[in-house]
PDB file of all heavy atoms in Angstrom:
ATOM      1  N   PHE A 475      -7.622   3.198  10.450  1.00  0.00           N
ATOM      2  CA  PHE A 475      -7.468   1.759  10.502  1.00  0.00           C
ATOM      3  C   PHE A 475      -8.284   1.171  11.646  1.00  0.00           C
ATOM      4  O   PHE A 475      -8.755   1.908  12.527  1.00  0.00           O
ATOM      5  CB  PHE A 475      -5.992   1.352  10.580  1.00  0.00           C
ATOM      6  CG  PHE A 475      -5.225   1.899  11.750  1.00  0.00           C
ATOM      7  CD1 PHE A 475      -4.922   1.083  12.832  1.00  0.00           C
ATOM      8  CD2 PHE A 475      -4.775   3.210  11.752  1.00  0.00           C
ATOM      9  CE1 PHE A 475      -4.179   1.571  13.894  1.00  0.00           C
ATOM     10  CE2 PHE A 475      -4.024   3.704  12.815  1.00  0.00           C
ATOM     11  CZ  PHE A 475      -3.735   2.882  13.891  1.00  0.00           C
ATOM     12  N   SER A 476      -8.432  -0.137  11.597  1.00  0.00           N
ATOM     13  CA  SER A 476      -9.253  -0.835  12.591  1.00  0.00           C
ATOM     14  C   SER A 476      -8.573  -2.142  12.947  1.00  0.00           C
ATOM     15  O   SER A 476      -8.254  -2.946  12.060  1.00  0.00           O
ATOM     16  CB  SER A 476     -10.640  -1.112  12.001  1.00  0.00           C
ATOM     17  OG  SER A 476     -11.355  -1.994  12.836  1.00  0.00           O
ATOM     18  N   TYR A 477      -8.359  -2.359  14.228  1.00  0.00           N
ATOM     19  CA  TYR A 477      -7.728  -3.599  14.669  1.00  0.00           C
ATOM     20  C   TYR A 477      -8.750  -4.708  14.893  1.00  0.00           C
ATOM     21  O   TYR A 477      -8.387  -5.877  14.980  1.00  0.00           O
ATOM     22  CB  TYR A 477      -6.907  -3.377  15.932  1.00  0.00           C
ATOM     23  CG  TYR A 477      -5.599  -2.668  15.682  1.00  0.00           C
ATOM     24  CD1 TYR A 477      -5.179  -1.625  16.501  1.00  0.00           C
ATOM     25  CD2 TYR A 477      -4.785  -3.038  14.624  1.00  0.00           C
ATOM     26  CE1 TYR A 477      -3.982  -0.973  16.273  1.00  0.00           C
ATOM     27  CE2 TYR A 477      -3.581  -2.389  14.376  1.00  0.00           C
ATOM     28  CZ  TYR A 477      -3.188  -1.366  15.199  1.00  0.00           C
ATOM     29  OH  TYR A 477      -2.004  -0.726  14.964  1.00  0.00           O
ATOM     30  N   ASP A 478     -10.015  -4.327  15.027  1.00  0.00           N
ATOM     31  CA  ASP A 478     -11.037  -5.352  15.266  1.00  0.00           C
ATOM     32  C   ASP A 478     -12.415  -4.730  15.051  1.00  0.00           C
ATOM     33  O   ASP A 478     -12.524  -3.502  14.885  1.00  0.00           O
ATOM     34  CB  ASP A 478     -10.904  -5.917  16.681  1.00  0.00           C
ATOM     35  CG  ASP A 478     -11.428  -7.336  16.804  1.00  0.00           C
ATOM     36  OD1 ASP A 478     -12.215  -7.758  15.927  1.00  0.00           O
ATOM     37  OD2 ASP A 478     -11.055  -8.025  17.770  1.00  0.00           O
ATOM     38  N   VAL A 479     -13.432  -5.568  15.100  1.00  0.00           N
ATOM     39  CA  VAL A 479     -14.802  -5.089  14.900  1.00  0.00           C
ATOM     40  C   VAL A 479     -15.122  -3.980  15.897  1.00  0.00           C
ATOM     41  O   VAL A 479     -14.754  -4.059  17.073  1.00  0.00           O
ATOM     42  CB  VAL A 479     -15.792  -6.259  15.066  1.00  0.00           C
ATOM     43  CG1 VAL A 479     -17.227  -5.765  14.951  1.00  0.00           C
ATOM     44  CG2 VAL A 479     -15.521  -7.331  14.028  1.00  0.00           C
ATOM     45  N   LYS A 480     -15.755  -2.939  15.394  1.00  0.00           N
ATOM     46  CA  LYS A 480     -16.191  -1.780  16.166  1.00  0.00           C
ATOM     47  C   LYS A 480     -15.032  -0.942  16.724  1.00  0.00           C
ATOM     48  O   LYS A 480     -15.258  -0.009  17.483  1.00  0.00           O
ATOM     49  CB  LYS A 480     -17.150  -2.187  17.295  1.00  0.00           C
ATOM     50  CG  LYS A 480     -18.429  -2.828  16.778  1.00  0.00           C
ATOM     51  CD  LYS A 480     -19.533  -2.778  17.794  1.00  0.00           C
ATOM     52  CE  LYS A 480     -20.762  -3.528  17.313  1.00  0.00           C
ATOM     53  NZ  LYS A 480     -21.457  -2.808  16.253  1.00  0.00           N
ATOM     54  N   MET A 481     -13.821  -1.278  16.361  1.00  0.00           N
ATOM     55  CA  MET A 481     -12.670  -0.476  16.783  1.00  0.00           C
ATOM     56  C   MET A 481     -12.183   0.346  15.604  1.00  0.00           C
ATOM     57  O   MET A 481     -12.217  -0.113  14.457  1.00  0.00           O
ATOM     58  CB  MET A 481     -11.549  -1.367  17.293  1.00  0.00           C
ATOM     59  CG  MET A 481     -11.901  -2.119  18.567  1.00  0.00           C
ATOM     60  SD  MET A 481     -10.564  -3.178  19.098  1.00  0.00           S
ATOM     61  CE  MET A 481      -9.334  -1.970  19.534  1.00  0.00           C
ATOM     62  N   LYS A 482     -11.709   1.563  15.883  1.00  0.00           N
ATOM     63  CA  LYS A 482     -11.148   2.395  14.841  1.00  0.00           C
ATOM     64  C   LYS A 482     -10.077   3.302  15.439  1.00  0.00           C
ATOM     65  O   LYS A 482     -10.175   3.701  16.600  1.00  0.00           O
ATOM     66  CB  LYS A 482     -12.229   3.231  14.149  1.00  0.00           C
ATOM     67  CG  LYS A 482     -12.980   4.163  15.082  1.00  0.00           C
ATOM     68  CD  LYS A 482     -14.090   4.884  14.338  1.00  0.00           C
ATOM     69  CE  LYS A 482     -14.872   5.792  15.285  1.00  0.00           C
ATOM     70  NZ  LYS A 482     -16.008   6.451  14.595  1.00  0.00           N
ATOM     71  N   GLU A 483      -9.090   3.608  14.628  1.00  0.00           N
ATOM     72  CA  GLU A 483      -8.006   4.483  15.043  1.00  0.00           C
ATOM     73  C   GLU A 483      -7.740   5.472  13.918  1.00  0.00           C
ATOM     74  O   GLU A 483      -7.768   5.099  12.745  1.00  0.00           O
ATOM     75  CB  GLU A 483      -6.725   3.678  15.295  1.00  0.00           C
ATOM     76  CG  GLU A 483      -6.816   2.638  16.387  1.00  0.00           C
ATOM     77  CD  GLU A 483      -6.738   3.252  17.777  1.00  0.00           C
ATOM     78  OE1 GLU A 483      -6.320   4.422  17.886  1.00  0.00           O
ATOM     79  OE2 GLU A 483      -7.100   2.549  18.736  1.00  0.00           O
ATOM     80  N   LYS A 484      -7.447   6.709  14.268  1.00  0.00           N
ATOM     81  CA  LYS A 484      -7.104   7.701  13.260  1.00  0.00           C
ATOM     82  C   LYS A 484      -5.702   7.450  12.731  1.00  0.00           C
ATOM     83  O   LYS A 484      -4.796   7.097  13.486  1.00  0.00           O
ATOM     84  CB  LYS A 484      -7.187   9.104  13.863  1.00  0.00           C
ATOM     85  CG  LYS A 484      -8.596   9.527  14.226  1.00  0.00           C
ATOM     86  CD  LYS A 484      -8.609  10.929  14.806  1.00  0.00           C
ATOM     87  CE  LYS A 484     -10.026  11.342  15.171  1.00  0.00           C
ATOM     88  NZ  LYS A 484     -10.061  12.699  15.765  1.00  0.00           N
ATOM     89  N   GLY A 485      -5.572   7.665  11.435  1.00  0.00           N
ATOM     90  CA  GLY A 485      -4.266   7.618  10.809  1.00  0.00           C
ATOM     91  C   GLY A 485      -3.670   9.006  10.717  1.00  0.00           C
ATOM     92  O   GLY A 485      -3.909   9.858  11.569  1.00  0.00           O
ATOM     93  N   ASP A 486      -2.938   9.246   9.645  1.00  0.00           N
ATOM     94  CA  ASP A 486      -2.243  10.528   9.494  1.00  0.00           C
ATOM     95  C   ASP A 486      -3.150  11.650   8.997  1.00  0.00           C
ATOM     96  O   ASP A 486      -2.901  12.815   9.291  1.00  0.00           O
ATOM     97  CB  ASP A 486      -1.077  10.361   8.514  1.00  0.00           C
ATOM     98  CG  ASP A 486      -0.060   9.361   9.020  1.00  0.00           C
ATOM     99  OD1 ASP A 486       0.214   9.361  10.244  1.00  0.00           O
ATOM    100  OD2 ASP A 486       0.446   8.564   8.213  1.00  0.00           O
ATOM    101  N   ILE A 487      -4.203  11.309   8.246  1.00  0.00           N
ATOM    102  CA  ILE A 487      -5.040  12.359   7.627  1.00  0.00           C
ATOM    103  C   ILE A 487      -6.526  12.035   7.773  1.00  0.00           C
ATOM    104  O   ILE A 487      -7.240  11.860   6.797  1.00  0.00           O
ATOM    105  CB  ILE A 487      -4.681  12.554   6.133  1.00  0.00           C
ATOM    106  CG1 ILE A 487      -4.682  11.204   5.385  1.00  0.00           C
ATOM    107  CG2 ILE A 487      -3.334  13.239   5.983  1.00  0.00           C
ATOM    108  CD1 ILE A 487      -4.744  11.355   3.883  1.00  0.00           C
ATOM    109  N   PRO A 488      -7.062  11.973   8.999  1.00  0.00           N
ATOM    110  CA  PRO A 488      -8.460  11.593   9.187  1.00  0.00           C
ATOM    111  C   PRO A 488      -9.493  12.687   8.939  1.00  0.00           C
ATOM    112  O   PRO A 488     -10.689  12.404   8.842  1.00  0.00           O
ATOM    113  CB  PRO A 488      -8.485  11.180  10.657  1.00  0.00           C
ATOM    114  CG  PRO A 488      -7.450  12.072  11.291  1.00  0.00           C
ATOM    115  CD  PRO A 488      -6.363  12.218  10.243  1.00  0.00           C
TER     116      PRO A 488
END
Side-chain angles (χ1 to χ4, degrees):
Chain A
F475 58 104
S476 169
Y477 285 135
D478 207 341
V479 176
K480 298 200 185 288
M481 294 179 67
K482 60 184 178 183
E483 299 283 344
K484 293 181 180 179
D486 298 321
I487 51 163

